[in-house]
PDB file of all heavy atoms in Angstrom:
ATOM      1  N   LYS U 374     -28.656   1.913  -0.363  1.00 46.00           N
ATOM      2  CA  LYS U 374     -29.129   1.460  -1.654  1.00 46.00           C
ATOM      3  C   LYS U 374     -28.193   1.849  -2.790  1.00 46.00           C
ATOM      4  O   LYS U 374     -28.147   1.180  -3.805  1.00 46.00           O
ATOM      5  CB  LYS U 374     -30.524   2.018  -1.942  1.00 46.00           C
ATOM      6  CG  LYS U 374     -31.592   1.373  -1.117  1.00 46.00           C
ATOM      7  CD  LYS U 374     -32.941   1.888  -1.518  1.00 46.00           C
ATOM      8  CE  LYS U 374     -34.019   1.241  -0.689  1.00 46.00           C
ATOM      9  NZ  LYS U 374     -35.339   1.723  -1.046  1.00 46.00           N
ATOM     10  N   SER U 375     -27.457   2.934  -2.662  1.00 46.00           N
ATOM     11  CA  SER U 375     -26.616   3.399  -3.754  1.00 46.00           C
ATOM     12  C   SER U 375     -25.359   2.552  -3.936  1.00 46.00           C
ATOM     13  O   SER U 375     -24.724   2.597  -4.966  1.00 46.00           O
ATOM     14  CB  SER U 375     -26.236   4.861  -3.560  1.00 46.00           C
ATOM     15  OG  SER U 375     -25.462   4.981  -2.398  1.00 46.00           O
ATOM     16  N   LYS U 376     -25.011   1.752  -2.928  1.00 50.00           N
ATOM     17  CA  LYS U 376     -23.843   0.884  -3.064  1.00 50.00           C
ATOM     18  C   LYS U 376     -24.261  -0.343  -3.873  1.00 50.00           C
ATOM     19  O   LYS U 376     -25.215  -1.008  -3.554  1.00 50.00           O
ATOM     20  CB  LYS U 376     -23.322   0.461  -1.698  1.00 50.00           C
ATOM     21  CG  LYS U 376     -22.045  -0.347  -1.790  1.00 50.00           C
ATOM     22  CD  LYS U 376     -21.481  -0.619  -0.431  1.00 50.00           C
ATOM     23  CE  LYS U 376     -20.195  -1.398  -0.576  1.00 50.00           C
ATOM     24  NZ  LYS U 376     -19.580  -1.657   0.703  1.00 50.00           N
ATOM     25  N   MET U 377     -23.564  -0.598  -4.958  1.00 52.00           N
ATOM     26  CA  MET U 377     -23.959  -1.728  -5.780  1.00 52.00           C
ATOM     27  C   MET U 377     -22.931  -2.840  -5.715  1.00 52.00           C
ATOM     28  O   MET U 377     -21.784  -2.633  -5.361  1.00 52.00           O
ATOM     29  CB  MET U 377     -24.258  -1.316  -7.211  1.00 52.00           C
ATOM     30  CG  MET U 377     -23.178  -0.653  -7.988  1.00 52.00           C
ATOM     31  SD  MET U 377     -23.729  -0.143  -9.623  1.00 52.00           S
ATOM     32  CE  MET U 377     -24.545  -1.577 -10.237  1.00 52.00           C
ATOM     33  N   ASN U 378     -23.392  -4.038  -6.020  1.00 59.00           N
ATOM     34  CA  ASN U 378     -22.545  -5.207  -6.064  1.00 59.00           C
ATOM     35  C   ASN U 378     -21.451  -4.999  -7.107  1.00 59.00           C
ATOM     36  O   ASN U 378     -21.732  -4.643  -8.236  1.00 59.00           O
ATOM     37  CB  ASN U 378     -23.424  -6.406  -6.409  1.00 59.00           C
ATOM     38  CG  ASN U 378     -22.654  -7.693  -6.445  1.00 59.00           C
ATOM     39  OD1 ASN U 378     -21.675  -7.813  -7.169  1.00 59.00           O
ATOM     40  ND2 ASN U 378     -23.099  -8.641  -5.661  1.00 59.00           N
ATOM     41  N   LEU U 379     -20.204  -5.255  -6.734  1.00 58.00           N
ATOM     42  CA  LEU U 379     -19.081  -4.995  -7.636  1.00 58.00           C
ATOM     43  C   LEU U 379     -19.151  -5.850  -8.892  1.00 58.00           C
ATOM     44  O   LEU U 379     -18.878  -5.363  -9.989  1.00 58.00           O
ATOM     45  CB  LEU U 379     -17.757  -5.210  -6.913  1.00 58.00           C
ATOM     46  CG  LEU U 379     -16.499  -4.856  -7.692  1.00 58.00           C
ATOM     47  CD1 LEU U 379     -16.508  -3.392  -8.089  1.00 58.00           C
ATOM     48  CD2 LEU U 379     -15.272  -5.169  -6.876  1.00 58.00           C
ATOM     49  N   SER U 380     -19.549  -7.108  -8.766  1.00 58.00           N
ATOM     50  CA  SER U 380     -19.622  -7.940  -9.970  1.00 58.00           C
ATOM     51  C   SER U 380     -20.691  -7.422 -10.921  1.00 58.00           C
ATOM     52  O   SER U 380     -20.530  -7.477 -12.140  1.00 58.00           O
ATOM     53  CB  SER U 380     -19.881  -9.400  -9.615  1.00 58.00           C
ATOM     54  OG  SER U 380     -21.125  -9.561  -8.991  1.00 58.00           O
ATOM     55  N   ARG U 381     -21.790  -6.878 -10.395  1.00 63.00           N
ATOM     56  CA  ARG U 381     -22.827  -6.282 -11.246  1.00 63.00           C
ATOM     57  C   ARG U 381     -22.286  -5.051 -11.962  1.00 63.00           C
ATOM     58  O   ARG U 381     -22.538  -4.842 -13.151  1.00 63.00           O
ATOM     59  CB  ARG U 381     -24.054  -5.921 -10.417  1.00 63.00           C
ATOM     60  CG  ARG U 381     -25.183  -5.379 -11.249  1.00 63.00           C
ATOM     61  CD  ARG U 381     -26.429  -5.205 -10.412  1.00 63.00           C
ATOM     62  NE  ARG U 381     -27.221  -4.181 -11.034  1.00 63.00           N
ATOM     63  CZ  ARG U 381     -27.964  -3.318 -10.394  1.00 63.00           C
ATOM     64  NH1 ARG U 381     -28.055  -3.368  -9.093  1.00 63.00           N
ATOM     65  NH2 ARG U 381     -28.651  -2.407 -11.024  1.00 63.00           N
ATOM     66  N   LEU U 382     -21.525  -4.233 -11.249  1.00 58.00           N
ATOM     67  CA  LEU U 382     -20.906  -3.062 -11.873  1.00 58.00           C
ATOM     68  C   LEU U 382     -19.976  -3.502 -12.998  1.00 58.00           C
ATOM     69  O   LEU U 382     -20.009  -2.936 -14.084  1.00 58.00           O
ATOM     70  CB  LEU U 382     -20.125  -2.241 -10.840  1.00 58.00           C
ATOM     71  CG  LEU U 382     -19.289  -1.085 -11.384  1.00 58.00           C
ATOM     72  CD1 LEU U 382     -20.170  -0.026 -12.020  1.00 58.00           C
ATOM     73  CD2 LEU U 382     -18.445  -0.487 -10.281  1.00 58.00           C
ATOM     74  N   ASN U 383     -19.168  -4.521 -12.738  1.00 54.00           N
ATOM     75  CA  ASN U 383     -18.263  -5.027 -13.773  1.00 54.00           C
ATOM     76  C   ASN U 383     -19.029  -5.461 -15.012  1.00 54.00           C
ATOM     77  O   ASN U 383     -18.615  -5.192 -16.131  1.00 54.00           O
ATOM     78  CB  ASN U 383     -17.435  -6.200 -13.248  1.00 54.00           C
ATOM     79  CG  ASN U 383     -16.369  -5.771 -12.267  1.00 54.00           C
ATOM     80  OD1 ASN U 383     -16.011  -4.608 -12.199  1.00 54.00           O
ATOM     81  ND2 ASN U 383     -15.884  -6.710 -11.483  1.00 54.00           N
ATOM     82  N   GLN U 384     -20.157  -6.146 -14.806  1.00 57.00           N
ATOM     83  CA  GLN U 384     -20.966  -6.599 -15.932  1.00 57.00           C
ATOM     84  C   GLN U 384     -21.543  -5.420 -16.691  1.00 57.00           C
ATOM     85  O   GLN U 384     -21.531  -5.397 -17.921  1.00 57.00           O
ATOM     86  CB  GLN U 384     -22.095  -7.504 -15.453  1.00 57.00           C
ATOM     87  CG  GLN U 384     -21.618  -8.843 -14.943  1.00 57.00           C
ATOM     88  CD  GLN U 384     -22.714  -9.633 -14.269  1.00 57.00           C
ATOM     89  OE1 GLN U 384     -23.843  -9.174 -14.116  1.00 57.00           O
ATOM     90  NE2 GLN U 384     -22.378 -10.839 -13.839  1.00 57.00           N
ATOM     91  N   GLU U 385     -22.076  -4.424 -15.976  1.00 62.00           N
ATOM     92  CA  GLU U 385     -22.677  -3.260 -16.621  1.00 62.00           C
ATOM     93  C   GLU U 385     -21.650  -2.452 -17.402  1.00 62.00           C
ATOM     94  O   GLU U 385     -21.934  -1.944 -18.474  1.00 62.00           O
ATOM     95  CB  GLU U 385     -23.362  -2.356 -15.593  1.00 62.00           C
ATOM     96  CG  GLU U 385     -24.652  -2.928 -15.071  1.00 62.00           C
ATOM     97  CD  GLU U 385     -25.369  -1.970 -14.135  1.00 62.00           C
ATOM     98  OE1 GLU U 385     -25.025  -0.773 -14.102  1.00 62.00           O
ATOM     99  OE2 GLU U 385     -26.283  -2.428 -13.448  1.00 62.00           O
ATOM    100  N   LEU U 386     -20.450  -2.331 -16.861  1.00 61.00           N
ATOM    101  CA  LEU U 386     -19.423  -1.520 -17.491  1.00 61.00           C
ATOM    102  C   LEU U 386     -18.518  -2.345 -18.400  1.00 61.00           C
ATOM    103  O   LEU U 386     -17.680  -1.796 -19.093  1.00 61.00           O
ATOM    104  CB  LEU U 386     -18.581  -0.805 -16.431  1.00 61.00           C
ATOM    105  CG  LEU U 386     -19.332   0.149 -15.527  1.00 61.00           C
ATOM    106  CD1 LEU U 386     -18.381   0.740 -14.494  1.00 61.00           C
ATOM    107  CD2 LEU U 386     -20.006   1.253 -16.319  1.00 61.00           C
ATOM    108  N   ASN U 387     -18.687  -3.665 -18.369  1.00 66.00           N
ATOM    109  CA  ASN U 387     -17.891  -4.561 -19.191  1.00 66.00           C
ATOM    110  C   ASN U 387     -16.398  -4.362 -18.943  1.00 66.00           C
ATOM    111  O   ASN U 387     -15.607  -4.214 -19.864  1.00 66.00           O
ATOM    112  CB  ASN U 387     -18.211  -4.398 -20.677  1.00 66.00           C
ATOM    113  CG  ASN U 387     -17.643  -5.533 -21.502  1.00 66.00           C
ATOM    114  OD1 ASN U 387     -17.497  -6.642 -20.999  1.00 66.00           O
ATOM    115  ND2 ASN U 387     -17.321  -5.263 -22.745  1.00 66.00           N
ATOM    116  N   MET U 388     -16.036  -4.312 -17.652  1.00 66.00           N
ATOM    117  CA  MET U 388     -14.635  -4.147 -17.303  1.00 66.00           C
ATOM    118  C   MET U 388     -14.359  -4.838 -15.985  1.00 66.00           C
ATOM    119  O   MET U 388     -15.274  -5.155 -15.231  1.00 66.00           O
ATOM    120  CB  MET U 388     -14.266  -2.674 -17.201  1.00 66.00           C
ATOM    121  CG  MET U 388     -14.985  -1.911 -16.117  1.00 66.00           C
ATOM    122  SD  MET U 388     -14.555  -0.180 -16.150  1.00 66.00           S
ATOM    123  CE  MET U 388     -14.353   0.123 -14.424  1.00 66.00           C
ATOM    124  N   GLU U 389     -13.091  -5.069 -15.703  1.00 72.00           N
ATOM    125  CA  GLU U 389     -12.661  -5.664 -14.448  1.00 72.00           C
ATOM    126  C   GLU U 389     -11.910  -4.608 -13.651  1.00 72.00           C
ATOM    127  O   GLU U 389     -11.046  -3.915 -14.179  1.00 72.00           O
ATOM    128  CB  GLU U 389     -11.741  -6.851 -14.706  1.00 72.00           C
ATOM    129  CG  GLU U 389     -12.432  -8.023 -15.371  1.00 72.00           C
ATOM    130  CD  GLU U 389     -13.479  -8.688 -14.502  1.00 72.00           C
ATOM    131  OE1 GLU U 389     -13.279  -8.767 -13.268  1.00 72.00           O
ATOM    132  OE2 GLU U 389     -14.500  -9.114 -15.049  1.00 72.00           O
ATOM    133  N   ILE U 390     -12.273  -4.482 -12.371  1.00 73.00           N
ATOM    134  CA  ILE U 390     -11.571  -3.552 -11.493  1.00 73.00           C
ATOM    135  C   ILE U 390     -11.309  -4.248 -10.165  1.00 73.00           C
ATOM    136  O   ILE U 390     -12.023  -5.173  -9.796  1.00 73.00           O
ATOM    137  CB  ILE U 390     -12.360  -2.238 -11.264  1.00 73.00           C
ATOM    138  CG1 ILE U 390     -13.750  -2.514 -10.699  1.00 73.00           C
ATOM    139  CG2 ILE U 390     -12.460  -1.442 -12.549  1.00 73.00           C
ATOM    140  CD1 ILE U 390     -14.523  -1.275 -10.345  1.00 73.00           C
ATOM    141  N   SER U 391     -10.293  -3.802  -9.457  1.00 74.00           N
ATOM    142  CA  SER U 391      -9.943  -4.433  -8.192  1.00 74.00           C
ATOM    143  C   SER U 391     -10.568  -3.724  -6.989  1.00 74.00           C
ATOM    144  O   SER U 391     -10.536  -4.259  -5.893  1.00 74.00           O
ATOM    145  CB  SER U 391      -8.425  -4.482  -8.032  1.00 74.00           C
ATOM    146  OG  SER U 391      -7.908  -3.169  -7.998  1.00 74.00           O
TER     147      SER U 391
END
Side-chain angles (χ1 to χ4, degrees):
K374 288 184 180 180
S375 64
K376 185 174 181 178
M377 59 183 312
N378 182 304
L379 185 60
S380 63
R381 183 173 154 214
L382 173 64
N383 288 342
Q384 291 171 357
E385 286 184 15
L386 299 178
N387 194 29
M388 63 184 223
E389 293 294 324
I390 57 175
S391 62

